[in-house]
Amino acid sequence: MSKSSVISEDIKAGTVVTMINIQDPDSGENGNVQCAINENIPFIMKSTSVNFFTVVTDGELDRERASEYNISVTCSDEGVPSLSSSVTLTLQISDVNDNAPVFERSSYEAYIIENNTPGLSIFTVKARDDDWNQNARVSYILEDSSVNGVAISSYVSVSADSGVIQALRSFDYEQIKDFRFRVKAQDGGSPPLSSNVTVKIMIQDQNDNAPQVLYPVQTSSSLVAEMVPRSADVGYLVTKVVAVDMDSGQNAWLSYKLQKATDRALFEVGLQNGEIRTIRQVNDKDTVKQRLTVVVEDNGQPSRSATVNVNVAVADSFPEVLSEFTDFTHDKEYNDNLTFYLVLALAVVSFFFIVSIIAILSVKCYRWRRERMFYKSNGNLPVIPYYPPLYADVGGTGTLRHVYNYEVCGTADSGKSDLKYVRPCSQSIISLDGTQTLPHAQRDTLINDNGDNQVSMNNRKTTLKYYLSSLGVSVLYDKYFGLLLLHYIPKENNVIFTPYIFPDTKKYSLHLNA
């Protein structure tokens, strides 16, 4: 009568799955029907009324254990012989997000060699979810934490889809040997379920550090010598070379070897402890100055080494050592470096000095050329403008007893204009602008428009030019500078000529004072 093809796995017990109606046309006991279902399934058959049966759940369902059920229903009557019929019901169990992701391990440990390349994949974490479809889709998340005050996200990263852990920086075993962090696996259900796992990363050492010699201290400015008395016996302890290696394990195992010596038959170095001892009796023939070179090597692959020089003085007293002490050979490398820096400093100072001289000369030459260009324009020398003092007559003692004031006005086309002037009484005004604007009250009536007056004007112009020429004054208009250049050629020592130059107004005044 009704049938459910899919039910949820979180359905409660006693829920009706299917309702069945049984028909038997016989009568009496031959028409009485009984139904049953197969065993070992979480379902039972119940009779609600005559010829009506229901299939209900009989416990909790779990899709992860059984995602589908085939329910076989068999009904038989009470007749003799009994007759029966059966039907099979297929029932799908739908998934519910009831399982959190589970990691394959309870914790992870991984190793990485120091000085790795950033972006290197270290290892992969894996989690499994028993749910189905979206509920089983797992994402990996790096939980926030810190290592030595630095966020873990700057050390490693985790791929959200694959769970691959990558190194984000190059690790140094001497700075950090291991660190821990947590990774969360979260499914795509609603609401999502998650679980965590702890990951430990251990840095493996590489032989990336050479041994460091702590004693004897190597200095370039002074020499340190170990004293050995001439009475020293065999096995006398001269000194001990002390060295350390920042690496670990076999990379930090050090061995000591005597590379060279002034007298190799006098000293030996302990292979493991670095002790320098005499191997024979010291005699008077042994030189006072002894120099040993000891090599310290680690046991890494490839091995790294350091070299130390040991100065030994074979003497019984300090004055004997002092007399020979200054003869020890100093480090040539230090002297070479000092010479190099001195030469370099001298070269730099010389370079800057030459550059400064060249710059000064360039500026001087540039200014000189500009002045030459200015003086050579139109073959006349410009006069530096200044406001001169007013020179007055001195009781008529000079050669020129009168003061002549000329006012000259010029335009761009003043070279084509006529020169007009009036005869001065105590003062004369000259105009070179081609106009008839002479402000002097006693200007001559010769300044008219055209006609005969032009002849008189030209005569007067010629007379003025002759007069100016006799004084050594020439008048020019320079179109390049837009200035009126007045050049004075002195004829007598008692004549002073000072031009007034006004570039903005193109108006010039000159005073001839005697």
Side-chain angles (χ1 to χ4, degrees):
M1 296 179 62
S2 66
K3 174 185 176 182
S4 297
S5 299
V6 179
I7 61 172
S8 176
E9 64 175 327
D10 61 345
I11 199 170
K12 295 181 179 180
T15 301
V16 176
V17 176
T18 302
M19 180 176 291
I20 303 173
N21 174 243
I22 305 299
Q23 299 289 337
D24 192 326
D26 293 332
S27 61
E29 293 182 354
N30 294 332
N32 294 332
V33 178
Q34 298 295 329
C35 295
I37 60 175
N38 51 320
E39 298 178 353
N40 300 325
I41 58 174
F43 301 96
I44 58 175
M45 196 100 176
K46 289 184 177 181
S47 176
T48 58
S49 60
V50 179
N51 296 332
F52 285 92
F53 298 89
T54 57
V55 177
V56 298
T57 57
D58 187 30
E60 294 182 354
L61 302 179
D62 189 356
R63 193 208 65 84
E64 287 70 44
R65 288 184 297 177
S67 60
E68 182 180 272
Y69 289 96
N70 291 319
I71 304 173
S72 178
V73 179
T74 302
C75 296
S76 58
D77 57 23
E78 295 179 357
V80 178
S82 177
L83 300 178
S84 65
S85 62
S86 61
V87 64
T88 299
L89 306 176
T90 300
L91 187 61
Q92 300 287 339
I93 308 300
S94 63
D95 183 55
V96 174
N97 190 29
D98 56 350
N99 291 280
V102 178
F103 286 96
E104 295 176 348
R105 302 179 188 176
S106 59
S107 63
Y108 289 88
E109 288 185 358
Y111 298 86
I112 183 173
I113 300 177
E114 67 171 332
N115 303 317
N116 59 285
T117 303
L120 178 68
S121 297
I122 303 176
F123 75 108
T124 303
V125 295
K126 196 70 176 177
R128 178 178 52 85
D129 195 313
D130 291 333
D131 293 325
W132 182 75
N133 204 2
Q134 185 67 23
N135 295 331
R137 183 172 297 174
V138 179
S139 299
Y140 302 92
I141 303 172
L142 180 65
E143 292 190 346
D144 293 335
S145 61
S146 62
V147 178
N148 298 330
V150 180
I152 191 64
S153 58
S154 65
Y155 283 85
V156 294
S157 66
V158 180
S159 174
D161 298 327
S162 61
V164 176
I165 298 178
Q166 292 180 321
L168 297 182
R169 63 167 61 183
S170 180
F171 297 110
D172 187 357
Y173 177 82
E174 286 70 42
Q175 294 183 357
I176 181 171
K177 294 178 172 56
D178 61 74
F179 59 93
R180 300 171 184 267
F181 58 93
R182 294 179 67 84
V183 177
K184 179 172 70 174
Q186 179 176 288
D187 61 26
S190 181
L193 301 178
S194 62
S195 60
N196 300 319
V197 69
T198 300
V199 180
K200 181 180 180 181
I201 304 294
M202 288 174 285
I203 313 299
Q204 291 182 325
D205 183 50
Q206 249 188 348
N207 191 30
D208 57 344
N209 292 282
Q212 297 180 2
V213 178
L214 302 181
Y215 185 85
V217 179
Q218 298 295 288
T219 58
S220 57
S221 58
S222 63
L223 294 175
V224 178
E226 304 290 341
M227 281 191 60
V228 177
R230 294 188 179 275
S231 60
D233 294 331
V234 177
Y236 178 84
L237 178 61
V238 179
T239 187
K240 182 178 181 179
V241 178
V242 180
V244 295
D245 196 311
M246 298 300 294
D247 296 322
S248 64
Q250 66 177 7
N251 295 330
W253 297 349
L254 302 180
S255 59
Y256 304 84
K257 298 178 183 179
L258 183 61
Q259 187 179 45
K260 57 182 179 180
T262 304
D263 188 354
R264 296 187 66 91
L266 183 58
F267 303 100
E268 68 174 359
V269 180
L271 181 64
Q272 303 298 330
N273 54 24
E275 294 179 351
I276 300 177
R277 295 179 180 271
T278 58
I279 56 178
R280 65 170 175 82
Q281 182 74 36
V282 181
N283 53 48
D284 296 338
K285 295 182 180 180
D286 293 326
T287 59
V288 176
K289 297 180 295 183
Q290 299 284 337
R291 187 180 181 89
L292 311 178
T293 302
V294 180
V295 177
V296 185
E297 291 184 347
D298 58 28
N299 198 37
Q301 294 296 330
S303 64
R304 294 178 177 267
S305 62
T307 304
V308 58
N309 294 318
V310 181
N311 297 313
V312 180
V314 180
D316 291 326
S317 61
F318 183 77
E320 184 181 356
V321 176
L322 189 61
S323 63
E324 298 288 343
F325 188 78
T326 56
D327 295 335
F328 276 107
T329 304
H330 288 273
D331 234 347
K332 292 184 178 181
E333 182 180 356
Y334 172 77
N335 294 331
D336 293 342
N337 291 338
L338 181 60
T339 303
F340 170 75
Y341 289 124
L342 288 175
V343 173
L344 181 61
L346 180 60
V348 171
V349 171
S350 301
F351 173 76
F352 282 111
F353 176 75
I354 294 173
V355 170
S356 301
I357 294 298
I358 293 175
I360 293 173
L361 292 178
S362 299
V363 172
K364 292 288 186 182
C365 182
Y366 174 72
R367 291 180 177 177
W368 179 80
R369 291 185 63 185
R370 286 188 61 186
E371 292 176 359
R372 292 290 297 172
M373 289 176 61
F374 184 75
Y375 277 97
K376 287 184 178 181
S377 90
N378 289 336
N380 292 279
L381 294 176
V383 180
I384 299 175
Y386 69 97
Y387 294 94
L390 296 177
Y391 293 92
D393 292 339
V394 186
T397 59
T399 303
L400 298 178
R401 302 196 174 199
H402 299 281
V403 177
Y404 297 90
N405 293 330
Y406 298 94
E407 181 174 346
V408 182
C409 300
T411 64
D413 296 330
S414 61
K416 301 177 182 179
S417 302
D418 292 329
L419 181 64
K420 304 180 182 67
Y421 79 101
V422 295
R423 185 182 302 276
C425 290
S426 63
Q427 200 174 48
S428 296
I429 299 175
I430 302 172
S431 177
L432 196 62
D433 58 358
T435 64
Q436 299 179 11
T437 58
L438 292 179
H440 197 275
Q442 297 179 358
R443 61 185 177 181
D444 204 310
T445 57
L446 294 174
I447 305 175
N448 294 317
D449 293 336
N450 294 312
D452 297 334
N453 293 331
Q454 184 67 34
V455 176
S456 176
M457 180 185 63
N458 291 336
N459 292 333
R460 290 175 183 270
K461 178 179 68 173
T462 303
T463 303
L464 176 62
K465 289 184 178 179
Y466 177 79
Y467 176 71
L468 291 176
S469 176
S470 65
L471 295 178
V473 177
S474 60
V475 181
L476 283 178
Y477 180 81
D478 191 336
K479 293 184 178 180
Y480 180 78
F481 288 96
L483 299 175
L484 186 65
L485 305 180
L486 307 178
H487 183 207
Y488 167 61
I489 303 175
K491 289 183 177 261
E492 294 182 6
N493 293 331
N494 59 350
V495 177
I496 300 175
F497 166 66
T498 304
Y500 282 79
I501 301 178
F502 304 95
D504 293 336
T505 60
K506 298 289 183 67
K507 187 173 183 181
Y508 312 90
S509 297
L510 59 94
H511 293 258
L512 299 179
N513 301 316

